[in-house]
Amino acid sequence: MPLHIETPLIPSRQLSEITGRSIWLKMDALQAPGSFKIRGIGHACTEYVSRGARRLVSSSGGNAGLAVAYAGRSMGVPVTVVVPHTTSERARELLRLENAEVIVHGAGWQEANELALSMVGPTDAFLHPFDDPLLWQGHATVIDEVARMGLIPDAVVLSVGGGGLLSGVAEGLHRNGWSHIPIIAVETHGAASFRAAATAGHAVQLDSINSVATSLGAKRVCDQAVEWAGKHTIHSILVSDKDAVDACERFLADHRVLVEPACGASLAVAYDNAPVLAPFKTVLVIVCGGATATVAQLRQWAQTL
Ligand SMILES: *Cc1c(COP(=O)(O)O)cnc(C)c1O
């Protein structure tokens, strides 16, 4: 049995009314660890454990780490997550709730990741948050489910951090005979690593990340995402942090589900009826979710941005 669930695919009356299109939501916010990440991470963890891994190691204090912790607990395999001091108390608590060993080390992700990598022994598996073909294979199931349910979208809207979701959705579109369906790839202005790569034609390292959408905060996308940009129609769209946070608040009011600004970025494209949607009648939005935001934090961002 896979570690992810088949999520609901629901029409959004509110967003369809705003845009004058059929907007469909793939509700991956409802995955047990809070985001789509369990699709790919669950698949990768299952594979590594079947190959003999006896411990799972991650350096993500975000949704990838939560997915690894959930996968490990579900399979009865110990999990160690190394996170930097900047990781919120809420994220640490969620990791501990999944029985993961949490090691706090370093001022930033770089240092935490270095320690995590140095701890990986011969019977351990290291789980990268977005750059692993097993992850993309697992993420592709989100499109398998849409195809199985009989919805044929004219475009797919999704958020991009390191490009794992993008690579998985592109793989899913191709393996379902939908290689002609364009992807609308959304980032916030302060985390636009895919835009930089798509413009340059190769992955580019950003100097810094400056966005409340922390789950989009990869300074460099995986090479696979750049490769897809060369063979699949992908529209790169940037939104402001404010638009992403506003979309989270509106989505909470309309659909009663709390998501991170990382997911709000995609929702903002629909709430703003962005010009990129103009050619499309039926639009699928991947509601990627995210467990690290609270209502109080959203409110605070909404007031300060
Ligand atoms: C990880 C994540 C993303 C970005 O996914 P990538 O595979 O890194 O591009 C978007 N939204 C949420 C909620 C995430 O956890």
Side-chain angles (χ1 to χ4, degrees), residues 35-37 63 129-130 139 159-166 215-216 260 262-263 288-290:
S35 79
F36 76 94
K37 287 244 171 43
N63 297 305
F130 55 82
H139 291 340
S159 298
V160 181
L165 178 60
L166 172 81
S215 294
L216 304 186
E260 289 181 14
C263 177
C288 49

Side-chain angles (χ1 to χ4, degrees), residues 3 10 15 33 50 62 75 88-89 101 106 109 115 124-125 132 149 153 166 223 233 268 284 296:
L3 293 166
I10 59 172
L15 283 168
S50 80
M75 291 188 291
S88 71
E89 193 47 50
E101 177 192 22
W109 177 79
L115 179 65
D124 297 330
D132 182 339
M149 292 174 106
L166 172 81
D223 291 335
T233 304
L284 173 69

Side-chain angles (χ1 to χ4, degrees), residues 34-37 60 62-64 129-131 135-136 139 158-168 186-187 213-218 221-222 225 259-264 266 286-292:
S35 79
F36 76 94
K37 287 244 171 43
S60 161
N63 297 305
F130 55 82
D131 196 1
L135 250 66
W136 311 328
H139 291 340
L158 54 77
S159 298
V160 181
L165 178 60
L166 172 81
S167 299
V186 191
E187 300 171 290
T214 49
S215 294
L216 304 186
V221 293
C222 58
V259 298
E260 289 181 14
C263 177
S266 279
I286 308 292
V287 183
C288 49
T292 70

Side-chain angles (χ1 to χ4, degrees), residues 35-57:
S35 79
F36 76 94
K37 287 244 171 43
I38 189 59
R39 292 182 182 273
I41 299 248
H43 178 60
C45 289
T46 307
E47 185 64 29
Y48 291 133
V49 168
S50 80
R51 292 181 198 168
R54 294 217 290 260
R55 181 175 68 150
L56 305 169
V57 179

